Amino acid sequence: MHRMAAADAASYWMSQHIPNDEFVVYCFAAPRSPIEDCAAGLRLRAAFVDDLCLRIREVPGTVDRPYWESVRPTDDQVRVNRSSRTWSSCLAQIAALIASPLDPTSAAWRVHLFGPVVDAPGAAGAACVVVLQICHALGDGRRASRIARELFTAPATQRDPGPARHRPGRELLVDAGTVLGGVLRFPGEFVMTARRGFRAARLASASVPETPGYTPTALNASPGPRRTLRVLVVERDRLTARGQPVTVAVLTAISVALPEYLGETGRRMGVELTIGRSGEPRSRNHFRNAGVDLHIDVDDLDERARLIGADIATARAAEKDPLRDARRRASESTPALLARWGIDAFDLDTPPETVTGVSVVSSVNRGAADLHLDGGEILFTTGFPALSPAQGLTHGVHGIGDRIAISVTTSPDVMDDVDRYVELLARAVGS
């Protein structure tokens, strides 16, 4: 067992208030073998992926952060849906899965196979869709993508599981040991947090005030339990034809579609972009969110794209800001009881006066298009960033090889005419 990093523990605790499972989706051309045989191969491969041999073990009374505990993957963690379906009904089924989050103390991941799926984007015939549902604490978007790649490329052979790890009395001993460790650790963490907190406060008093957020729109509302999913698949060259990076090109398209959909062109608008941190990761969730202005007041789209790219570069550079580093280090040393109390006390019911962005955008490059499912070539990959009480619309940007998938996740309670927005987005991507 090993102790969870502070950021990963916070992700786990927050998931109990706002479900945040990741859904890493890969669409393959029809495999040579029946879908049940593909599932059997994935069950064998899972045992060779270290991150898929973990689950969360809580410390009684939250005296300390949870631990990662080694376990054997079970056959039930790879599930098959053999019903023939359309791509639209497949998305509806994934939306239903979002309403059933994992219990990572039992299983931190699950794989769902759907096939045959007809009319999937870019598919000449029937396709097979593989969905890796994974606890966000187990990894951010980049790490989850690496885990999925390992799952598809690990050897599909039987692995000796070794002797059973659970013996009579072991559970009580483990719990007693983690509680004792948390009690002994608490005084030092409390003092260290106080010191780091004072340093962060001093730096904050001397820093330039942060740029204010954005006024909430009709999309910054509680989404309720239902989800609506859509996906646009485009060629990379089509997005980057004007020399813009993929993320910048998609944000520029969003900057065109969002104001037109909302009918609001006279206000500032921005998005909350997930940005991977640089340097050696100290946690599995090695990223942060930053507001990026969409510059909708600039009519020339090339100039708008340049400004959006500059804002992204500024947000990345801000990672080295001493104040941000001081705050992060204070969070990393905060005793578990205090960190958990702060998360549980967070007010999720009162609408915020400002938001970091009208929508959240997550962008991940999933590498070369060299994956296959028993001979079925990879067609595209996508994902669906979680909604929250203040974010009723999120976008995913996921690339593999030369294909980029732009996903839209929302709720009928927030956007009951999602196809109109997707049409606007598709038009903007093609402009």
Side-chain angles (χ1 to χ4, degrees):
M1 293 202 317
H2 55 279
R3 187 172 178 244
M4 291 178 72
D8 303 332
S11 177
Y12 168 58
W13 289 326
M14 184 57 77
S15 72
Q16 297 170 22
H17 301 279
I18 304 175
N20 60 6
D21 284 356
E22 294 176 86
F23 289 81
V24 186
V25 180
Y26 289 82
C27 183
F28 294 92
R32 291 187 297 258
S33 302
I35 192 171
E36 293 85 354
D37 292 348
C38 296
L42 292 176
R43 291 187 183 101
L44 292 173
R45 291 186 175 102
F48 288 86
V49 181
D50 291 341
D51 284 342
L52 297 183
C53 297
L54 297 173
R55 69 181 177 191
I56 292 175
R57 186 184 186 92
E58 292 186 322
V59 176
T62 319
V63 176
D64 201 356
R65 295 179 208 147
Y67 280 72
W68 290 111
E69 179 179 40
S70 297
V71 293
R72 302 171 188 168
T74 63
D75 288 349
D76 185 60
Q77 285 180 261
V78 179
R79 303 182 177 188
V80 176
N81 189 310
R82 304 172 185 83
S83 302
S84 298
R85 61 180 66 245
T86 63
W87 170 243
S88 295
S89 66
C90 184
L91 289 179
Q93 187 61 43
I94 297 173
L97 292 174
I98 293 176
S100 301
L102 298 166
D103 174 6
T105 63
S106 176
W109 63 274
R110 193 171 287 149
V111 168
H112 311 268
L113 282 81
F114 298 96
V117 176
V118 299
D119 72 16
C128 181
V129 176
V130 182
V131 181
L132 172 60
Q133 179 180 1
I134 187 169
C135 164
H136 208 306
L138 193 58
D140 57 19
R142 293 184 297 182
R143 184 160 189 148
S145 297
R146 289 198 298 270
I147 292 171
R149 181 168 283 272
E150 285 187 62
L151 176 63
F152 290 120
T153 57
T157 58
Q158 189 68 48
R159 185 180 193 179
D160 181 6
R165 293 184 174 89
H166 298 288
R167 298 183 297 275
R170 179 183 180 274
E171 305 297 320
L172 290 175
L173 288 174
V174 169
D175 285 344
T178 57
V179 168
L180 178 60
V183 170
L184 294 176
R185 191 178 281 117
F186 184 92
E189 287 186 334
F190 186 86
V191 172
M192 185 179 297
T193 301
R195 289 175 177 170
R196 291 178 174 179
F198 284 132
R199 181 174 185 273
R202 288 197 303 270
L203 290 172
S205 65
S207 67
V208 177
E210 294 184 358
T211 303
Y214 301 91
T215 303
T217 69
L219 302 177
N220 299 109
S222 178
R226 299 181 294 168
R227 298 292 180 267
T228 305
L229 311 178
R230 296 291 187 270
V231 179
L232 293 172
V233 179
V234 298
E235 295 298 321
R236 183 183 296 271
D237 289 347
R238 180 179 169 189
L239 278 175
T240 59
R242 295 185 176 182
Q244 303 157 359
V246 167
T247 302
V248 172
V250 174
L251 291 188
T252 304
I254 292 172
S255 78
V256 174
L258 261 184
E260 186 172 353
Y261 174 81
L262 291 169
E264 301 177 3
T265 57
R267 67 152 82 184
R268 290 176 62 246
M269 283 190 190
V271 296
E272 185 176 343
L273 181 67
T274 60
I275 295 178
R277 288 193 164 111
S278 58
E280 185 67 24
R282 298 201 290 260
S283 63
R284 293 171 172 271
N285 284 267
H286 192 57
F287 76 100
R288 67 182 182 86
N289 288 7
V292 173
D293 199 275
L294 293 178
H295 297 282
I296 63 174
D297 57 322
V298 177
D299 293 332
D300 183 89
L301 292 185
D302 287 335
E303 175 62 11
R304 186 185 296 185
R306 187 191 69 78
L307 293 172
I308 290 172
D311 280 2
I312 295 175
T314 298
R316 294 189 189 280
E319 176 67 18
K320 300 178 181 179
D321 178 37
L323 174 58
R324 291 183 185 276
D325 184 65
R327 286 173 172 169
R328 185 165 64 251
R329 289 185 176 277
S331 296
E332 290 173 348
S333 61
T334 301
L337 273 172
L338 298 181
R340 177 68 180 272
W341 174 84
I343 290 172
D344 290 345
F346 192 77
D347 183 6
L348 298 174
D349 298 323
T350 303
E353 295 183 1
T354 61
V355 292
T356 307
V358 175
S359 174
V360 171
V361 179
S362 178
S363 182
V364 181
N365 184 349
R366 290 183 175 154
D370 54 359
L371 300 179
H372 69 89
L373 185 68
D374 192 28
E377 65 175 347
I378 183 69
L379 299 177
F380 64 90
T381 180
T382 188
F384 306 98
L387 304 182
S388 73
Q391 295 286 1
L393 171 68
T394 63
H395 298 78
V397 184
H398 299 92
I400 191 163
D402 293 327
R403 284 187 172 172
I404 309 296
I406 306 169
S407 69
V408 173
T409 303
T410 187
S411 161
D413 296 332
V414 173
M415 186 182 274
D416 60 3
D417 54 350
V418 62
D419 289 321
R420 184 172 80 85
Y421 174 69
V422 173
E423 288 175 5
L424 293 172
L425 185 60
R427 189 188 311 160
V429 167
S431 61

